[in-house]
Amino acid sequence: MRRWQPARLAGAAGARLVAAGAGTGAEPGPRGASVDSRTVAPGELFIGLRGERSDGGEHAAEALAAGAWGVLVAPEHAERALARGVVLAHPQPLRGLQALARAWREELGEGGARVVAITGSTGKTSTKDILAALLSPHLRVVASPENLNTEIGMPLAMLAAPAGTELLVLEMAMRGEGQIAELTSIALPDVGVIVNVGPVHLELLGSLPAIAAAKAELIAGLGRDARVVVPAAEPLLQRHLRADLQTITFGPGGDVSLAEARPAGAPQARDHTRQPTPERAEGGEILIRLGPGALRRRDGGEGAQGQALVRLRPSFAQAHNLRNLLAAVAAARALGITPEGEELRVSFSSLRGERLQMPGGVVLINDCYNANPMSMHAAIDDLAETAAGRRVAVLGDMLELGDGAREFHRQVGEHAAQQDVGLLVTVGALAAEIGAGFGKEAIAVPDARAAAEALTGLLRAGDTVLVKGSRGVGLELIAEVLRGAGRAGDRGEAPLGGLVAGPRSR
Ligand SMILES: Nc1ncnc2c1ncn2[C@@H]1O[C@H](COP(=O)(O)OP(=O)(O)O)[C@@H](O)[C@H]1O
Ligand SMILES: [Mg+2]
């Protein structure tokens, strides 16, 4: 928005221009937007949103003092003599933010930018990170940072895209009916990706078909020339597909499928006993088959051949991320791009299954950003696939599952038993039910700190420990505690603070 004069920006936001500020230099507009007066950066537009407890508009003066380009606030805050900067008034600042994001997206689009929107029950952020990495060699890509995926975060992510952006990759979260429709009407995607449909936020929507319908609002809201990317043979989405839009499917039997995965050897863990090491390519070589449906051109013609193989070397190898990679390749094809032969280094957002080498020969898979039945099963599969020694699972509550919660937890326990988990620690009241499904002895504790304590004396060299639970359970504390214990060891105190029992590797 750098080139937008205050009046233009007010028009775009549907706001009233109360004060036009002083300077109109070569770059008269803001360089992004922020809703937090404590972190607003110089040159940004501050938007004062009404929250449940506080009203951001009250901090408008602070934001200007911090160097904000201007403020967009409710009328009652705009009138309060804001001498410096630009002041815009909107009766609903959130609507102003959204209108502004949409207008900015349209302007970027005139410059040739395209938008890929990604939703789904689990794996949105990871797919977004993979797609951004995959297309960065081809286009100037801007992706939502971390998890900015709500009616507030997504518009902010859009406004952070500078002029000249060629591709915006946006994550869309769903917390109820109508939300994806709203986000779609702001983002105006050229490609809509649904990663999967599963029992997440089941409590809110009641049933899997209702969840599928909520995700499918993305498909319903796409424009005439847009393309759709969905998992192959997902019965829950069939009735939502549109005959007028080209659809590219991914996964077994789909237009984009895995032809071959040649592993490069055991996965590498980041060594926390020394300086952090950069992520290494661990995924080996991946061959992806593109069928005719993925090669069709915009004019309806087919690609050179009816089928093609794409070779990639990703820095990851987990089965669920390879599925996400297929979705990303399908999205690339929807944009007319075929990535090929590339080394694909993805830095996943934090707490998404990062492997940490703990002192004492223990590897910890830190996957506690969130949890639901789908991602729990995927993470246990990954544990089983990659653990060299004993498989340890520390599993917390999966929240918001509604009436079926106990059953979903029990099934996770059954899955853990099938995958030969050797030691199970459950964290929280719901998670205790995982122990019931496990059928063997399990340790049940009430919270993360108790789990860290329980692990003391139980872990031994060679263990791989999966730590996963819903955000609210706060299991990231476990890695912190174990790491802290490790640091004590580095200082020459008891190795791992007495954490690791039994044989040690060194
Ligand atoms: N395609 C997938 N299927 C099942 N589980 C997945 C998938 N992708 C990621 N996960 C699991 O879900 C966790 C959260 O992934 P993330 O990409 O943050 O999802 P979202 O943004 O949808 O919440 C990951 O750490 C991993 O355990
Ligand atoms: Mg996410």
Side-chain angles (χ1 to χ4, degrees), residues 431-446:
E433 205 64 30
I434 298 176
F438 191 53
K440 296 179 269 183
E441 196 191 338
I443 297 164
V445 296

Side-chain angles (χ1 to χ4, degrees), residues 57-281:
E58 285 167 9
H59 302 287
E62 269 162 60
L64 286 172
W69 170 87
V71 299
L72 170 62
V73 291
E76 63 268 29
H77 300 296
E79 304 305 339
R80 261 200 250 138
L82 299 163
R84 279 168 300 172
V86 177
V87 180
L88 308 166
H90 194 294
Q92 294 182 65
L94 175 60
R95 295 277 166 249
L97 163 63
Q98 294 170 341
L100 194 57
R102 180 180 157 135
W104 180 236
R105 186 263 177 268
E106 284 173 331
E107 168 124 343
L108 288 174
E110 278 162 28
R114 290 180 290 173
V115 173
V116 176
I118 300 176
T119 192
S121 293
T122 202
K124 298 178 288 298
T125 299
S126 304
T127 303
K128 180 250 315 169
D129 291 337
I130 293 171
L131 181 61
L134 190 66
L135 291 183
S136 288
H138 301 266
L139 297 170
R140 263 173 286 172
V141 182
V142 172
S144 330
E146 286 276 332
N147 205 29
L148 283 187
N149 59 17
T150 63
E151 70 281 11
I152 300 169
M154 191 199 73
L156 288 176
M158 294 168 71
L159 292 172
T165 297
E166 292 172 318
L167 180 69
L168 254 172
V169 183
L170 299 174
E171 175 172 345
M172 293 182 169
M174 190 276 294
R175 290 205 51 90
E177 232 170 89
Q179 282 222 320
I180 297 290
E182 180 187 15
L183 296 177
T184 304
S185 73
I186 298 165
L188 308 173
D190 298 286
V191 177
V193 180
I194 300 181
V195 179
N196 49 35
V197 178
V200 183
H201 303 311
L202 196 53
E203 197 168 66
L204 273 164
L205 286 150
S207 72
L208 275 175
I211 290 173
K215 308 283 176 213
E217 290 170 13
L218 173 58
I219 301 175
L222 291 174
R224 268 189 304 133
D225 296 324
R227 293 181 170 190
V228 177
V229 172
V230 290
E234 172 48 88
L236 288 161
L237 288 174
Q238 289 309 314
R239 56 184 289 257
H240 300 289
L241 298 180
R242 279 169 55 179
D244 62 326
L245 296 185
Q246 190 192 330
T247 298
I248 302 179
T249 60
F250 67 90
D255 301 319
V256 177
S257 58
L258 199 58
E260 198 180 326
R262 297 191 198 120
Q268 307 276 351
R270 201 142 69 79
D271 190 345
H272 266 275
T273 57
R274 294 192 213 103
Q275 289 298 313
T277 49
E279 206 167 331
R280 280 160 284 191

Side-chain angles (χ1 to χ4, degrees), residues 311-397:
R311 190 175 57 93
L312 292 169
R313 284 177 294 135
S315 61
F316 51 86
Q318 305 106 316
H320 58 269
N321 274 328
L322 294 183
R323 279 202 295 283
N324 298 337
L325 173 61
L326 296 179
V329 170
R333 279 308 309 151
L335 294 166
I337 296 170
T338 307
E340 169 65 85
E342 277 146 34
E343 187 166 339
L344 180 62
R345 277 171 189 274
V346 180
S347 333
F348 287 99
S349 298
S350 47
L351 306 178
R352 270 44 164 231
E354 189 187 19
R355 302 177 75 88
L356 305 174
Q357 177 69 59
M358 308 306 265
V362 171
V363 171
L364 187 143
I365 306 175
N366 213 14
D367 196 354
C368 42
Y369 189 80
N370 58 19
N372 57 63
M374 280 183 113
S375 67
M376 276 287 199
H377 284 251
I380 291 168
D381 290 345
D382 182 50
L383 172 68
E385 184 78 23
T386 58
R390 184 168 62 151
R391 303 164 184 184
V392 180
V394 183
L395 305 179
D397 292 342

